[in-house]
Amino acid sequence: MECSQARKIIYEIAGTEADIPIQLRDEFKKHLAVCSSCAAHYHALISRLEDLRELPRLNAPANFLENVRRRIENPGIVARARNSFFRFFGEISFYRLAATAAAAVLVVVTAQIALKEAHLQKEVSAPLPLPSPAMSPPPAPTESFQNLTSDAPQPAPPLQGESSVPKAGSVPKELRTSAAPQRAKQGAGNISQYNSAPGRASPPANAYPASGEEEEQRKTIRLNLRVPRDSYSLLGKSTAPAMMDKAKEPSAVAGTSLAEKSLARPGLDKEYAKREDRVEIDSADRAMSEVKSLVLLSKGKITSEQPVEDAEKKASISVEIPAQNYAAFLDQLRRFGEVTIPGESTGAAAPQAGMHIRVLILFDTGS
Amino acid sequence: MPDFEPGAEQYEDKADVAAYLAGDRMALDRLVVRHKDRVFNLCCRLLGDRGDAEECAQETFVKVLRSIGGFRRESSFSTWLFTIAINTCKNRRSSAEYRFWKKVLSFGRNASSCEDDPEEFEIQDEAPSALVLISEKERESLIQSAIDSLPFDFRTVIVLRHIEELSYDEIARITGYNLGTLKSKLSRARVQLQKKLQGA
């Protein structure tokens, strides 16, 4: 055995000769007998290890057992919290914890969906305000008019550049007679109730006393009613902000020629130019009586009425028309002017049987 | 020398464990009394401080009490106890609190070393002279310092092999090393210890 080989195993052999193979141990001892350097190194290591073995045994303090008892009986706060934690979660299996967490998430999600649906149902079934008959009609400084919204899920498309329309299902259809510009300035009528501020659409002040089911049986459409440049005529007016603003423009007042109106809104005047069975009305009273007769003939009913008291005041009438007679009602109404429905070229909606069309007609007796 | 071979003490341990599990509270006291000095000595050699050693030894028995129901009796109670003690010391050394106080008290390190037991300074008539005692204390202090300078795994195998004088099989069972790893660690630990004690 060489010194390099002996130095490699010297630390393995030291103190553990019994675990070394006999042949290797004999060769190592033979090398130590002839190599003083390796022998001195080996004996020095053995001496150190003997020192380790001779280190005194240290005894535990006398009160060791009492201290252990005290720690067992009065564990610290951290130890108690740790024991409680493991005792609690150790008894609950992972699957029970996972099932509990999943159930909690399911309950939260279900509650959120239910609350959302209840909120939507509340919005849908909320009573619709209706303009008070006792209040005077709003100003109508335009010959073009339109109103309003639909109960259908999609709101009516904007008309002539309208960027905003009333909320679907919130505003009934309304018609209005034409008015002089000065009357529009006086208007504190129904339209003004619909719109608390110019250019802003808002629901009518009074509410329809209809239940949610009745709401579904009625359909509100937007109408554009245009009449010739007569002394008394019927006009519809939109509550849409853009149209309200436009209605106040001087060029939109009654008395403007049809050609001028056509230049302003050419798309609306095409049908008007073709109509020949127009009935000219010379007073608001007559217009109202004609419309009331038309309602009765259409098997509709008059829900409210604001008669004309003098030439300075506006008249209004709220009616409900059965859906099956609504087309004929519109045809007859066109005798007094032009009726258009925004977004529909035919000028009539396609209501379902059994439904009622709620219409608010405003009469504006311009000078 | 601890008796890790099947013997009277091991049978007593098994009987006390069974008695404690059956509800005999005094059985735990008997186990503590029987093993406290051995555990304390092991902790003191591993940690190099009497206070820390006492703390860890107590913690070892508290852990034994908590987990004695899971004692599988595949090994002897002493082996299981030593395993818990070594792990407790290892955790203690790695704790931030231990490292902090180790640095703070490093200036007066020898004041609380394991060899500073005041009882050992009692000089009796039959005892060697004071000079011899001081010399022995210095030697022990040097050896303990050399042990403390070793990495913990090297320290563990050195203490278990050359101070507690356990067999390779018992050390492998306690530490979890296989035999080859254990011999390699023990050899390298001896090399480092020899270097540390070269000038002593």
Side-chain angles (χ1 to χ4, degrees):
Chain A
M1 179 177 286
E2 302 294 331
C3 286
S4 58
Q5 293 176 322
R7 293 294 174 95
K8 284 182 182 178
I9 64 172
I10 189 172
Y11 291 99
E12 295 180 9
I13 289 179
T16 57
E17 288 82 358
D19 298 322
I20 301 298
I22 296 176
Q23 184 180 0
L24 182 61
R25 186 173 54 191
D26 290 342
E27 290 184 6
F28 179 72
K29 285 187 176 180
K30 288 179 183 176
H31 177 74
L32 291 184
V34 297
C35 180
S36 58
S37 174
C38 289
H41 194 81
Y42 176 74
H43 291 301
L45 179 60
I46 292 296
S47 175
R48 302 304 178 195
L49 296 180
E50 286 296 326
D51 290 341
L52 289 177
R53 189 174 294 111
E54 291 174 359
L55 283 175
R57 293 281 173 181
L58 303 175
N59 295 326
N63 59 349
F64 185 85
L65 179 60
E66 286 74 19
N67 291 337
V68 172
R69 282 178 179 168
R70 187 171 61 249
R71 292 185 64 160
I72 291 173
E73 293 170 358
N74 301 312
I77 294 177
V78 176
R80 280 196 300 243
R82 184 175 51 197
N83 292 340
S84 302
F85 179 83
F86 285 110
R87 191 179 302 121
F88 177 74
F89 287 102
E91 294 174 355
I92 301 177
S93 67
F94 170 78
Y95 294 105
R96 288 181 62 187
L97 280 175
T100 305
V105 170
L106 187 63
V107 167
V108 170
V109 171
T110 305
Q112 286 184 340
I113 293 175
L115 288 174
K116 195 171 183 179
E117 288 183 351
H119 182 66
L120 290 175
Q121 184 67 24
K122 187 178 179 182
E123 284 186 349
V124 169
S125 61
L128 295 175
L130 182 68
S132 172
M135 303 186 74
S136 59
T142 178
E143 81 290 355
S144 64
F145 54 90
Q146 68 274 13
N147 225 9
L148 273 283
T149 64
S150 171
D151 280 333
Q154 296 83 14
L159 180 65
Q160 294 291 327
E162 278 183 310
S163 59
S164 172
V165 296
K167 188 177 181 180
S170 62
V171 182
K173 168 176 53 184
E174 71 180 65
L175 304 175
R176 200 178 68 168
T177 59
S178 61
Q182 60 271 23
R183 295 226 171 218
K185 295 176 182 176
Q186 299 169 359
N190 295 334
I191 293 298
S192 62
Q193 293 179 14
Y194 281 49
N195 304 275
S196 57
R200 176 183 175 184
S202 63
N206 293 343
Y208 282 113
S211 63
E213 186 177 359
E214 290 172 339
E215 285 283 328
E216 294 177 355
Q217 292 176 347
R218 292 169 182 167
K219 182 176 180 181
T220 302
I221 62 173
R222 178 178 297 196
L223 295 177
N224 282 321
L225 180 60
R226 174 168 292 180
V227 297
R229 185 163 50 94
D230 298 328
S231 57
Y232 300 99
S233 58
L234 282 169
L235 278 181
K237 186 179 188 307
S238 170
T239 59
M243 298 311 297
M244 288 294 294
D245 293 338
K246 188 162 187 147
K248 293 180 179 180
E249 294 176 5
S251 62
V253 302
T256 307
S257 69
L258 275 177
E260 293 171 347
K261 296 168 188 171
S262 298
L263 288 175
R265 305 182 65 180
L268 292 177
D269 295 328
K270 291 179 180 178
E271 292 184 4
Y272 176 80
K274 298 176 182 178
R275 189 169 60 230
E276 298 177 358
D277 58 344
R278 187 182 311 129
V279 174
E280 295 185 2
I281 302 171
D282 56 1
S283 71
D285 286 333
R286 183 185 170 190
M288 180 173 286
S289 64
E290 290 286 346
V291 171
K292 287 165 69 176
S293 300
L294 190 58
V295 170
L296 295 176
L297 290 174
S298 302
K299 297 182 180 179
K301 63 179 180 180
I302 300 169
T303 55
S304 65
E305 180 181 355
Q306 172 64 38
V308 177
E309 296 178 358
D310 56 51
E312 296 297 323
K313 293 186 178 179
K314 301 179 182 65
S316 64
I317 181 171
S318 298
V319 300
E320 289 183 2
I321 307 298
Q324 61 270 23
N325 300 331
Y326 185 65
F329 173 78
L330 288 180
D331 289 337
Q332 294 297 320
L333 197 62
R334 287 191 179 97
R335 297 170 58 215
F336 308 118
E338 183 178 5
V339 177
T340 60
I341 301 175
E344 294 187 19
S345 59
T346 59
Q352 299 177 2
M355 294 179 62
H356 284 73
I357 308 301
R358 185 177 295 168
V359 182
L360 174 63
I361 303 172
L362 301 179
F363 298 91
D364 215 356
T365 56
S367 58
Chain B
M1 175 178 176
D3 184 10
F4 284 91
E5 298 300 324
E9 187 175 284
Q10 189 166 354
Y11 287 124
E12 289 177 0
D13 287 344
K14 288 185 177 180
D16 286 336
V17 170
Y20 179 77
L21 292 175
D24 183 7
R25 308 289 294 182
M26 298 303 295
L28 183 66
D29 291 350
R30 291 195 293 271
L31 288 170
V32 172
V33 170
R34 192 178 299 130
H35 296 281
K36 64 182 176 71
D37 290 336
R38 196 178 305 165
V39 171
F40 176 78
N41 186 64
L42 173 67
C43 293
C44 196
R45 294 306 176 193
L46 289 177
L47 295 175
D49 185 87
R50 293 184 67 92
D52 289 337
E54 183 178 359
E55 187 78 15
C56 284
Q58 293 176 9
E59 183 67 22
T60 297
F61 284 105
V62 172
K63 288 180 178 178
V64 165
L65 168 68
R66 288 179 189 153
S67 55
I68 198 170
F71 175 48
R72 290 176 293 181
R73 307 183 188 184
E74 295 174 354
S75 60
S76 67
F77 181 78
S78 300
T79 302
W80 185 55
L81 187 65
F82 268 44
T83 303
I84 295 176
I86 289 171
N87 289 332
T88 303
C89 292
K90 192 173 184 179
N91 294 336
R92 175 84 177 177
R93 278 181 51 84
S94 61
S95 68
E97 180 188 9
Y98 176 86
R99 287 177 296 185
F100 172 76
W101 288 111
K102 188 85 172 178
K103 287 183 179 179
V104 170
L105 300 177
S106 60
F107 297 105
R109 179 66 186 84
N110 292 333
S112 61
S113 63
C114 290
E115 288 72 34
D116 286 344
D117 190 350
E119 296 176 359
E120 297 185 13
F121 283 100
E122 294 177 359
I123 301 174
Q124 299 178 2
D125 293 339
E126 297 81 9
S129 65
L131 188 61
V132 173
L133 282 176
I134 292 174
S135 175
E136 288 181 357
K137 294 300 296 181
E138 288 180 348
R139 185 171 57 89
E140 292 172 8
S141 178
L142 285 174
I143 293 173
Q144 183 63 47
S145 298
I147 294 173
D148 292 344
S149 66
L150 296 176
F152 191 80
D153 50 347
F154 288 179
R155 189 186 317 182
T156 301
V157 294
I158 283 288
V159 169
L160 291 177
R161 176 62 185 171
H162 295 290
I163 296 179
E164 298 296 335
E165 300 184 56
L166 303 183
S167 68
Y168 280 135
D169 290 338
E170 287 293 338
I171 297 172
R173 207 173 299 165
I174 290 171
T175 58
Y177 302 140
N178 60 47
L179 210 54
T181 304
L182 174 60
K183 287 181 178 180
S184 173
K185 283 184 177 292
L186 196 54
S187 175
R188 287 188 287 162
R190 286 168 181 158
V191 172
Q192 289 196 17
L193 188 66
Q194 173 74 349
K195 290 179 180 177
K196 298 286 182 184
L197 296 174
Q198 199 74 42

